[in-house]
Amino acid sequence: MGISMLEMLDGNMNVRHIVLTMTKLHHFLRANEITQAAFAASVGLNQATVSKICRGQIGVSLATAVLIERQTEGAVPAASLLRSDSARVLPPVDSEAAHEVGRGEAA
């Protein structure tokens, strides 16, 4: 599940509740003290994009999801990153540009 911000609207279109759920990628980065920037560099993305993935704001292509699964040694399954709705989905990244996951302070 991504950080999906589900807004419950009343009849006047006022936000009543916001529900946040963190993605498996977010939890993986925190647990392993990997910064979003370091992880992003390892999979050929930028930090802002990884942040959006962690918040569930965007989906990724199958190729990128598989690359993230490999970089996390299966801790973040590709299926957990794919979206079935019409949300924005990133194109594949060049897997040859990816390198080892960097370690650093928590993202």
Side-chain angles (χ1 to χ4, degrees), residues 15-52:
V15 175
R16 296 183 66 194
H17 302 283
I18 297 179
V19 179
L20 300 177
T21 55
M22 306 307 285
T23 64
K24 290 183 182 197
L25 179 57
H26 170 83
H27 291 295
F28 172 83
L29 296 177
R30 290 276 174 152
N32 291 283
E33 298 182 343
I34 301 169
T35 64
Q36 289 178 356
F39 187 79
S42 76
V43 293
L45 299 172
N46 63 49
Q47 180 276 326
T49 299
V50 170
S51 176
K52 289 176 184 177

Side-chain angles (χ1 to χ4, degrees), residues 43-67:
V43 293
L45 299 172
N46 63 49
Q47 180 276 326
T49 299
V50 170
S51 176
K52 289 176 184 177
I53 295 168
C54 285
R55 291 192 316 269
Q57 291 182 327
I58 58 174
V60 298
S61 68
L62 178 59
T64 300
V66 169
L67 179 60

